[in-house]
Amino acid sequence: ASVPNIDDLAARDAVLSYVSNNRCWGLACAREMTIMDITASSAFHYNLETCTEKRTAVWIHEPYTGQVIDSADRGPSPKPWDVLVVPPNPYREGQVVVEVPHSARIVNCYDCATMGRRRCWSCFGNGEIRCNACNGTGKILELESGSENQRINVPPGPKACYQCGGGGQRRCVVCLGPGQLPCKTCLARGQLKLSLQLTVSWKMYKSDRVVERTAVPEVLIRSVQGRVAFDEEKAAVWPINFFPDEAVNHASRELLDEHRARFSAEKTIAQRQSVRMVPVHQVAYVWRNYRGFYYIYGHDNLVYFPDYPQKTCCGLTEILTCSIQ
Ligand SMILES: [Zn+2]
Ligand SMILES: [Zn+2]
Ligand SMILES: [Zn+2]
């Protein structure tokens, strides 16, 4: 009923403006063709959007430096799905990280057993390492060229290592002596704050289907403006079952089933389905020895004419002069 009426005049206007927009196509065909028949129909574009929410909780720890601890003393800790987190906008993807209320507590650092310090990994707690100049012996053999000993052919004798002063050990350069390093896990505080971290993420999934029975490609129906015939938004929608075109009902059932199966690990929080209606007119024409169809679609009378007979540049095959320079 809402399909706009296209008469012969409108059908010719549409094809004339379409052909003149394609430089160098011959216009004669569009001008002279005989319009035999116009068949009106509607294409439907069904759209489904499903917004889901996913929650994951993990225990995390951080150094305890005196921050406020929201522990079980303040009340029982809620289950992840009972924590109140409202999506800023259900139709936008996003993520929020919160601490589960009353889940925090203070524990001893498992890395340093509350000491705040750990044994140095370089000197193993000794504070010193073996001198590598003398290999720990404290002595080195040194040849002094031109010395008196060499002149009188006495073999060089051992000298005290000047790197370690003869002790064979040098101070550890990592801990600088104490043999211990501050614990990184607790920032040397000895205690950790343990809490349950909840990550809430929102995702949106879109699917669509075009119901179209002429030769007009689906991509054209998707991109052209249409009229909204049905639009519904709920926490969870039911499949459409009342549409006059059974293929639309079928598309709704199928896509809803598909979303339910694919996103079963997430919770659906909002769903929107809509049907856009796009008018399509199939026009049968005859011109010279050509006969075929072209299509007028959308509310702005766009044309789809895959086999326009005068596509060759300047109508060369038709011995016509180019009308657009
Ligand atoms: Zn520690
Ligand atoms: Zn040495
Ligand atoms: Zn050390």
Side-chain angles (χ1 to χ4, degrees):
S2 59
V3 174
N5 192 39
I6 297 266
D7 57 10
D8 286 20
L9 193 67
R12 189 176 310 276
D13 279 353
V15 73
L16 272 170
S17 87
Y18 169 73
V19 173
S20 12
N21 281 333
N22 286 279
R23 285 177 64 87
C24 293
W25 286 14
L27 267 172
C29 168
R31 269 198 215 106
E32 297 163 8
M33 64 167 62
T34 308
I35 290 168
M36 308 295 288
D37 182 40
I38 300 177
T39 316
S41 66
S42 288
F44 299 102
H45 186 200
Y46 174 79
N47 274 284
L48 174 65
E49 290 166 83
T50 297
C51 307
T52 66
E53 183 175 309
K54 196 172 147 184
R55 296 191 171 203
T56 46
V58 283
W59 287 100
I60 56 152
H61 61 75
E62 56 191 290
Y64 174 63
T65 55
Q67 61 267 55
V68 176
I69 297 294
D70 179 8
S71 71
D73 297 346
R74 300 191 182 184
S77 189
K79 292 199 169 67
W81 277 106
D82 295 334
V83 179
L84 184 69
V85 181
V86 180
N89 178 353
Y91 290 96
R92 194 168 297 162
E93 305 208 327
Q95 184 175 303
V96 162
V97 177
V98 293
E99 181 183 306
V100 173
H102 318 317
S103 71
R105 63 175 191 265
I106 300 168
V107 295
N108 292 340
C109 177
Y110 55 84
D111 260 347
C112 62
T114 75
M115 301 299 286
R117 298 179 307 277
R118 303 178 64 192
R119 197 170 69 158
C120 173
W121 51 266
S122 176
C123 62
F124 304 106
N126 297 321
E128 295 181 315
I129 51 167
R130 197 169 69 166
C131 172
N132 55 10
C134 61
N135 266 331
T137 60
K139 295 184 173 69
I140 50 164
L141 293 171
E142 198 180 39
L143 287 168
E144 290 176 85
S145 57
S147 74
E148 198 182 339
N149 281 352
Q150 206 174 32
R151 250 184 289 126
I152 55 170
N153 249 347
V154 174
K159 290 191 151 210
C161 170
Y162 49 78
Q163 290 279 341
C164 57
Q169 299 282 313
R170 290 165 70 188
R171 193 166 72 149
C172 172
V173 292
V174 174
C175 64
L176 303 174
Q180 288 182 321
L181 290 168
C183 175
K184 278 182 187 164
T185 309
C186 62
L187 286 181
R189 303 287 179 134
Q191 288 186 310
L192 299 172
K193 175 192 165 183
L194 193 68
S195 61
L196 194 56
Q197 188 187 62
L198 179 68
T199 303
V200 184
S201 48
W202 298 284
K203 281 219 167 79
M204 190 168 76
Y205 302 98
K206 289 184 184 185
S207 298
D208 73 329
R209 192 159 296 170
V210 171
V211 174
E212 156 63 359
R213 294 193 173 81
T214 69
V216 177
E218 292 189 357
V219 62
L220 295 181
I221 302 299
R222 277 196 179 90
S223 57
V224 76
Q225 216 177 0
R227 189 162 292 147
V228 177
F230 179 73
D231 193 5
E232 181 189 34
E233 191 182 330
K234 277 182 183 175
V237 298
W238 288 94
I240 297 176
N241 61 4
F242 48 80
F243 224 73
D245 194 318
E246 180 51 38
V248 174
N249 299 334
H250 186 250
S252 173
R253 261 197 315 274
E254 243 183 27
L255 292 185
L256 272 163
D257 278 349
E258 191 190 307
H259 276 208
R260 203 170 17 249
R262 266 168 68 196
F263 317 126
S264 56
E266 296 155 46
K267 183 183 174 186
T268 296
I269 53 164
Q271 244 175 353
R272 182 153 68 191
Q273 63 179 352
S274 65
V275 181
R276 287 191 319 120
M277 223 165 79
V278 175
V280 176
H281 290 85
Q282 177 177 271
V283 183
Y285 74 96
V286 176
W287 179 66
R288 297 185 190 173
N289 54 339
Y290 296 95
R291 82 178 31 241
F293 300 103
Y294 69 92
Y295 304 88
I296 300 172
Y297 65 96
H299 291 278
D300 295 323
N301 292 354
L302 298 175
V303 170
Y304 173 64
F305 202 150
D307 306 313
Y308 186 65
Q310 284 187 294
K311 268 185 181 173
T312 40
C313 187
C314 299
L316 279 176
T317 52
E318 302 298 328
I319 325 170
L320 291 166
T321 50
C322 181
S323 53
I324 307 153
Q325 291 308 318

